[in-house]
Amino acid sequence: MNIHPMSLISEKAEIGENVCIGAYTIIHDNVVIHSNTIIESYCELGVSNHLSQGEKLIIGAESHIRSRSTFYEGSSFGRGLITGHNVTVRERTIAGENLQLGTLSDVQGHCKIGDFVRAHSNVHIGQHSHIGNYVWIFPYVVLTNDPHPPSNVMQGVIIDDYAVIATMTVVLPGAKIAEGVFIGAHSLVGGSTEKDMLYSGSPAKKIGLTSKIKLKDGTGQPAYPWRKHFHRGYPRDVIEQWNKEQLGDD
Amino acid sequence: MNIHPMSLISEKAEIGENVCIGAYTIIHDNVVIHSNTIIESYCELGVSNHLSQGEKLIIGAESHIRSRSTFYEGSSFGRGLITGHNVTVRERTIAGENLQLGTLSDVQGHCKIGDFVRAHSNVHIGQHSHIGNYVWIFPYVVLTNDPHPPSNVMQGVIIDDYAVIATMTVVLPGAKIAEGVFIGAHSLVGGSTEKDMLYSGSPAKKIGLTSKIKLKDGTGQPAYPWRKHFHRGYPRDVIEQWNKEQLGDD
Amino acid sequence: MNIHPMSLISEKAEIGENVCIGAYTIIHDNVVIHSNTIIESYCELGVSNHLSQGEKLIIGAESHIRSRSTFYEGSSFGRGLITGHNVTVRERTIAGENLQLGTLSDVQGHCKIGDFVRAHSNVHIGQHSHIGNYVWIFPYVVLTNDPHPPSNVMQGVIIDDYAVIATMTVVLPGAKIAEGVFIGAHSLVGGSTEKDMLYSGSPAKKIGLTSKIKLKDGTGQPAYPWRKHFHRGYPRDVIEQWNKEQLGDD
C-alpha cells in the first residue's frame, strides 16, 4: 500500500513523504503526519471534541500506528511512536520520542509522557498523569487521578525515569513513583516512594532495594537497574550513555 | 456528516430526525434510533444471535455512540446514552436514561441498569447484574455471576443507588452493594454490605462510614455522599432534589 | 451475506466452501479458511510482521470469528474456533480444536493452546504460555512471562487440563497450574501448584481441595471437578468419557 483507495483523508491534513495509510482509515482535518510513517487499517486520526479546540494532532516521523487506533486532535507525539491495535488516545496528550503504546491501551488525555516510554497492552493512563523517560508500564495497569471519586479534585500520578510498574497494578491518585522504583504485579500503590526500591502488595509495602533481585539468566547479576542489561530497541547513543554510568558499581 | 455515504444502513431500520451516522458504520434491520443522536464511525448496531430472537435494539434520543461500538438486537436504552469507543453491548440489556459506558466497556447482556449510571473505561458487566440509579463504576471493574465457575448457577450482583465502585475491583457473584457504599480500588468484595459504608481490600473489609472521608479540595467537607458536592453532568431538577435532601446534616 | 462486496480479499487466500465474510473485512495473502466458517465485519486476517515470516494463518472448519478481530500470519487453529469481538491474536499461536476467545482477548503469540480451551473476555495470554485441554480462563486474567521486567528472560506459564483461573488473576512467570486446580478471583499466583487444589489470595495460598466447594444449585454436590456436572457446549463423546471417569467417587 501507500495511500489505500478505501481510506478517507481530508485535503486539509498534512501528510509527509513516504507515509502509508491502510484501508478504511479516516484522517480528519487537523492532522499532521510526518514522513516515513505507517498508519494501518481502520484507524481514525484527528477526532474532535469540545476539549480539543481545533488544535492539531501531530504524529512524528518514523511512526507506526497499528489498526483500529483512535487519536483525537490536540495531541502531539515525537518521532518513532509505535502502537499496538485498538489504542485510544484523547486530546492534550503530549509525548516525547519513541513512545510505545500496547494493544487496547487507553490514554485519557491531558497528560505528559517523556521519551522512550513503553506501555504494554491494556494500560490505562488517567488524565493529568506525568510520566518521565524510559518508564515501563505493564498490562492492565491503571493510573488514577481522583482521590474520592466522583469529585472535581484531580491528583494525577507522577512516575519518574526508569520506573517499572508490573501488571495489574493500580497507582493511586497523587502517587509519586520515584526513579528506578519497581512496583510488583497486582499491587495497589499510593503516596511517595524511594528511589530504586521495590514495592509490592495490596496495599503495597516497601520490600527492599531492587538491586537485590537477581537475573534468572544464569549470571546471578542484579536485575535492576534494568538498563545495565536490557538494551533491546534503544538507540546506540542511549546505550553508550548507560554503559558509562557504572550503575550500582560503587 | 449526516448519514455518511460509506455507511451501510438497512432500509428496515427506523432512524429518527437529525440522526448522524459516521463512515463505515453498519445498521442492521431491527434497530430503532431516536432523534438527535450521533452514531460515530465503524459502529455496528443490531447484531443478531440466537438469544436476541429478532427483538429490536432501541437507542433513545439525544444519544452519542462513539466509534467502533457494537450493539446487539434485543436491548433498549433511554434517552441520553453516551458511550466511549470500542464498547460491546450484548442482547437483553435494559437501561434507563443517561447511561454512560466508557471506552472498551463490555456489557454481557441479560442485565438491568437504572438512570444516570456512569461506567468508566473497560468495565465488565456480567450477565444478570442489576444496577440501580446514579451508580459509579470505575475502570477495570468486573461484575461476576458464577459462584463456582464453570457452572449453570447464575448469581448476578445487585448494586444500589449512589454506590461507587473504584478501579480494578471484582464484585463476587450474588454480592449486594447497598446504597451509597464505596468500594475502594483493587478490592474483592462479596456478600452483603451496609448503606453508606466504605469497604476495601482483597478480600474487602468494612472500614467505616464513607462520610469520614474528607474532600481534598481545601474545604475539609465530607466527600460522601458525593451528591452533596458533585453535580457535573446532572440535570437541574436532579440537583435541586439533592440540595433539598440535607444529607448527613442531621 | 456470503462474501460481502465491501470486503477486501486477496486472491491468494484460500477460502473453503460455505465461508461467510462480513463487510469491511480484510483477508490478506497467507490465509487459509476452512469450510463453513463465519468471519464477521471489520476483521483483518493474515497481518504480517517480521516475526511471522510469511507463514500461513490457518482457521479450522466450522469456526466463527466475531467482528473487529485481528489475526496475524503464522498461527493455526483447529476446527470450531469461536471468538468474541475485538480479539487480537499474534503470530505463532498454535491452538487445538474448539478454542473460545472472548471479546477483547489479546493473545501475544508464540504459545500453545490445547483443545476445548475457554478464555472469557479480556484475557491476556502472554508469549510462551502453554495451556492444556479443557482449561477455563475468566475475564481480565493475565498470563505473564518475564520474571524481572524488562529483561530477555522468558518463563511462560504452564496450565494443565481442567484448570480454572477466575477473574482478575495474575499468573506469575514460570507458574505451573496443575490439573484441576482452581485459582480464586483477584489472586496473584506463582510457583507450583498441586492437582485439584484451590488457591486464592494475593499472593495466593493453598486453601484446600476443590471438591470441598459445594454446588449452590440445591444439590450440595461438589462443584469440582466441574466436568461432573457442567457439560454445556462439549460434544457427546467427550461427555460420555467424563461420565465413565467416576471422578471423586472412590
Side-chain angles (χ1 to χ4, degrees):
Chain A
M1 62 177 177
N2 208 344
I3 306 289
H4 197 284
M6 290 298 289
S7 58
L8 297 170
I9 302 180
S10 165
E11 292 191 359
K12 294 179 182 167
E14 302 171 43
I15 312 288
E17 284 188 21
N18 197 27
V19 168
C20 295
I21 297 178
Y24 307 121
T25 278
I26 303 170
I27 311 282
H28 293 285
D29 293 355
N30 292 318
V31 176
V32 180
I33 304 174
H34 287 289
S35 58
N36 302 311
T37 285
I38 298 168
I39 313 290
E40 293 191 0
S41 48
Y42 311 104
C43 289
E44 185 170 10
L45 271 59
V47 177
S48 65
N49 71 358
H50 67 288
L51 297 166
S52 62
Q53 301 182 315
E55 295 187 12
K56 289 192 185 297
L57 167 67
I58 299 168
I59 305 292
E62 321 277 346
S63 292
H64 186 168
I65 296 180
R66 289 200 172 81
S67 65
R68 306 177 205 290
S69 293
T70 304
F71 281 72
Y72 280 64
E73 289 181 345
S75 289
S76 79
F77 297 85
R79 88 170 31 229
L81 169 68
I82 296 180
T83 83
H85 306 277
N86 261 311
V87 166
T88 308
V89 182
R90 292 276 305 267
E91 71 284 350
R92 303 200 179 283
T93 300
I94 308 301
E97 299 190 352
N98 286 281
L99 172 62
Q100 295 185 6
L101 288 174
T103 290
L104 295 169
S105 285
D106 180 4
V107 180
Q108 298 270 303
H110 303 261
C111 57
K112 286 187 188 168
I113 302 174
D115 293 332
F116 293 98
V117 170
R118 305 272 189 264
H120 210 281
S121 295
N122 220 326
V123 165
H124 181 97
I125 299 180
Q127 291 185 359
H128 304 290
S129 299
H130 279 59
I131 302 174
N133 305 303
Y134 307 103
V135 167
W136 282 85
I137 307 178
F138 285 92
Y140 296 63
V141 165
V142 174
L143 308 186
T144 65
N145 53 33
D146 185 343
H148 31 45
S151 81
N152 291 311
V153 179
M154 283 286 210
Q155 300 182 332
V157 307
I158 298 173
I159 303 177
D160 283 344
D161 296 359
Y162 302 108
V164 176
I165 303 181
T167 191
M168 202 83 85
T169 284
V170 173
V171 183
L172 287 168
K176 291 185 175 60
I177 308 300
E179 186 179 321
V181 160
F182 178 34
I183 309 291
H186 214 264
S187 295
L188 174 72
V189 64
S192 288
T193 55
E194 294 168 39
K195 191 182 168 195
D196 292 323
M197 286 287 176
L198 167 64
Y199 294 79
S200 184
S202 179
K205 293 173 187 161
K206 185 167 69 172
I207 308 296
L209 283 165
T210 59
S211 57
K212 301 288 188 191
I213 303 169
K214 301 303 178 195
L215 270 176
K216 297 184 176 177
D217 64 352
T219 67
Q221 292 296 305
Y224 301 90
W226 55 262
R227 63 192 184 277
K228 284 196 76 169
H229 62 84
F230 187 80
H231 298 163
R232 193 171 65 221
Y234 298 96
R236 194 176 308 175
D237 61 326
V238 166
I239 297 168
E240 284 176 1
Q241 182 58 38
W242 290 347
N243 284 338
K244 285 180 194 157
E245 285 185 32
Q246 301 191 311
L247 295 160
D249 293 349
D250 51 344
Chain B
M1 62 177 176
N2 209 345
I3 306 289
H4 196 284
M6 290 298 289
S7 58
L8 297 170
I9 302 180
S10 165
E11 292 191 359
K12 293 180 183 168
E14 302 170 44
I15 312 288
E17 285 188 19
N18 197 27
V19 167
C20 295
I21 297 178
Y24 307 120
T25 278
I26 303 170
I27 312 283
H28 293 286
D29 293 356
N30 292 318
V31 177
V32 179
I33 303 175
H34 287 290
S35 57
N36 302 311
T37 284
I38 299 169
I39 313 290
E40 293 190 359
S41 49
Y42 311 104
C43 288
E44 184 171 11
L45 270 58
V47 177
S48 65
N49 71 358
H50 66 288
L51 297 167
S52 62
Q53 301 182 316
E55 294 186 12
K56 289 192 186 297
L57 167 67
I58 299 168
I59 304 293
E62 322 278 346
S63 293
H64 186 168
I65 296 179
R66 289 199 172 80
S67 66
R68 305 176 206 289
S69 293
T70 303
F71 281 72
Y72 280 65
E73 287 180 347
S75 288
S76 79
F77 297 86
R79 90 170 30 230
L81 170 68
I82 297 179
T83 82
H85 305 276
N86 262 309
V87 166
T88 307
V89 181
R90 291 275 305 269
E91 70 284 349
R92 303 199 179 284
T93 300
I94 310 300
E97 300 190 349
N98 286 282
L99 173 62
Q100 296 185 5
L101 287 173
T103 290
L104 296 168
S105 285
D106 180 4
V107 180
Q108 297 269 304
H110 303 261
C111 57
K112 286 188 188 167
I113 302 174
D115 294 332
F116 293 98
V117 170
R118 305 271 189 266
H120 209 282
S121 294
N122 222 325
V123 164
H124 180 97
I125 298 181
Q127 290 186 1
H128 304 290
S129 298
H130 279 58
I131 302 174
N133 305 302
Y134 307 104
V135 167
W136 283 85
I137 307 178
F138 285 93
Y140 296 63
V141 165
V142 174
L143 308 186
T144 65
N145 53 34
D146 185 342
H148 30 44
S151 81
N152 290 311
V153 179
M154 283 286 209
Q155 300 181 332
V157 306
I158 298 173
I159 303 178
D160 284 344
D161 297 358
Y162 303 108
V164 176
I165 304 181
T167 192
M168 201 84 85
T169 284
V170 173
V171 183
L172 288 168
K176 291 184 176 62
I177 308 300
E179 187 180 321
V181 159
F182 178 33
I183 310 291
H186 214 262
S187 295
L188 174 72
V189 63
S192 287
T193 54
E194 293 168 40
K195 191 183 167 192
D196 292 324
M197 286 286 176
L198 166 65
Y199 294 79
S200 184
S202 179
K205 292 173 187 159
K206 185 168 70 174
I207 307 297
L209 282 165
T210 58
S211 57
K212 301 287 189 192
I213 303 170
K214 301 304 178 195
L215 271 177
K216 297 184 176 178
D217 65 352
T219 67
Q221 292 297 304
Y224 301 90
W226 56 263
R227 64 191 183 278
K228 283 197 75 170
H229 63 84
F230 187 80
H231 297 163
R232 194 172 63 223
Y234 298 98
R236 195 175 309 175
D237 60 326
V238 166
I239 297 168
E240 284 177 2
Q241 182 58 39
W242 290 347
N243 284 338
K244 286 179 195 160
E245 285 186 33
Q246 301 192 311
L247 296 160
D249 293 349
D250 49 348
Chain C
M1 62 175 176
N2 209 346
I3 306 288
H4 196 283
M6 290 298 288
S7 58
L8 298 170
I9 302 179
S10 165
E11 291 190 0
K12 294 180 183 168
E14 302 170 44
I15 312 288
E17 286 188 18
N18 196 28
V19 167
C20 296
I21 297 179
Y24 307 121
T25 277
I26 303 170
I27 311 283
H28 293 284
D29 291 356
N30 292 318
V31 176
V32 179
I33 303 175
H34 288 289
S35 57
N36 302 311
T37 285
I38 299 168
I39 312 291
E40 293 190 359
S41 48
Y42 311 104
C43 289
E44 184 169 11
L45 270 59
V47 177
S48 65
N49 70 358
H50 67 287
L51 297 166
S52 62
Q53 300 183 315
E55 295 187 12
K56 289 192 186 297
L57 167 67
I58 299 168
I59 305 293
E62 321 277 347
S63 292
H64 186 167
I65 297 180
R66 289 200 172 82
S67 65
R68 307 176 203 288
S69 293
T70 304
F71 282 73
Y72 280 64
E73 288 181 347
S75 289
S76 79
F77 297 85
R79 89 170 31 229
L81 169 68
I82 297 180
T83 82
H85 306 276
N86 262 311
V87 165
T88 308
V89 181
R90 292 275 305 266
E91 70 284 349
R92 301 199 181 283
T93 299
I94 309 300
E97 299 190 350
N98 286 281
L99 172 62
Q100 295 184 6
L101 287 174
T103 291
L104 295 168
S105 285
D106 179 6
V107 180
Q108 297 269 305
H110 303 261
C111 58
K112 286 188 186 166
I113 302 174
D115 294 332
F116 293 98
V117 169
R118 305 271 189 266
H120 209 282
S121 294
N122 221 326
V123 164
H124 181 98
I125 298 180
Q127 290 186 0
H128 304 289
S129 299
H130 278 59
I131 302 175
N133 305 302
Y134 308 103
V135 167
W136 283 86
I137 307 179
F138 286 92
Y140 296 63
V141 164
V142 174
L143 308 185
T144 65
N145 54 32
D146 185 343
H148 31 44
S151 81
N152 291 310
V153 179
M154 283 288 210
Q155 300 181 334
V157 306
I158 298 173
I159 302 178
D160 283 344
D161 297 359
Y162 303 108
V164 176
I165 304 181
T167 192
M168 202 83 85
T169 284
V170 174
V171 183
L172 288 168
K176 291 184 176 63
I177 308 300
E179 187 179 320
V181 160
F182 178 33
I183 310 291
H186 213 262
S187 295
L188 174 72
V189 63
S192 288
T193 54
E194 294 169 39
K195 191 183 167 193
D196 293 324
M197 286 286 177
L198 166 64
Y199 295 79
S200 184
S202 178
K205 293 173 185 160
K206 185 167 69 173
I207 308 296
L209 283 163
T210 59
S211 57
K212 301 287 188 192
I213 303 169
K214 300 305 178 195
L215 271 176
K216 296 184 176 177
D217 64 351
T219 67
Q221 292 296 305
Y224 300 91
W226 56 263
R227 63 192 184 277
K228 284 196 74 170
H229 63 85
F230 187 80
H231 298 163
R232 193 171 64 222
Y234 298 98
R236 195 176 307 176
D237 62 325
V238 166
I239 297 168
E240 284 176 2
Q241 183 58 38
W242 289 348
N243 285 338
K244 285 179 195 159
E245 285 185 32
Q246 301 190 311
L247 296 160
D249 294 348
D250 51 346

